[in-house]
Amino acid sequence: HVPSSQMLNLSDAIKKYGVPEKAMYNHYDFNTKTYIFARKGIAVIANTETEIVFEISYFEPTTLDNYLATWGKDLSETAVIY
């Protein structure tokens, strides 16, 4: 358990990594997006309303197209409701 005072939020991630190259919906739920910082080698999954970060993925820096073709294959431009 991480105390709420120590939790990273989306605004913190943007301050740290800059503006994401792209934000796309993922499989977590319709209120979450994956914020992609491909050239920095980071992807952040966060709730779009609360800005709470659920996951941070680290990878070798790459192009946005390469990220989307590999790790981002399941991401979507529109919310997916299951």
Side-chain angles (χ1 to χ4, degrees):
H1 180 263
V2 178
S4 60
S5 62
Q6 293 179 8
M7 293 178 84
L8 180 72
N9 66 37
L10 182 58
S11 293
D12 294 334
I14 291 171
K15 285 178 192 170
K16 186 171 184 176
Y17 305 119
V19 176
E21 293 169 58
K22 191 158 186 93
M24 298 182 73
Y25 289 96
N26 55 54
H27 65 277
Y28 280 89
D29 74 38
F30 68 93
N31 282 334
T32 63
K33 284 187 175 182
T34 300
Y35 297 85
I36 306 162
F37 306 85
R39 288 175 285 170
K40 298 204 179 198
I42 298 164
V44 175
I45 297 174
N47 184 289
T48 58
E49 293 178 5
T50 65
E51 292 198 354
I52 292 174
V53 171
F54 297 109
E55 183 179 315
I56 300 175
S57 299
Y58 298 94
F59 49 89
E60 187 171 327
T62 187
T63 64
L64 179 61
D65 287 340
N66 187 54
Y67 178 88
L68 293 174
T70 54
W71 301 288
K73 286 188 273 193
D74 294 333
L75 299 177
S76 174
E77 295 282 346
T78 58
V80 178
I81 300 174
Y82 294 98

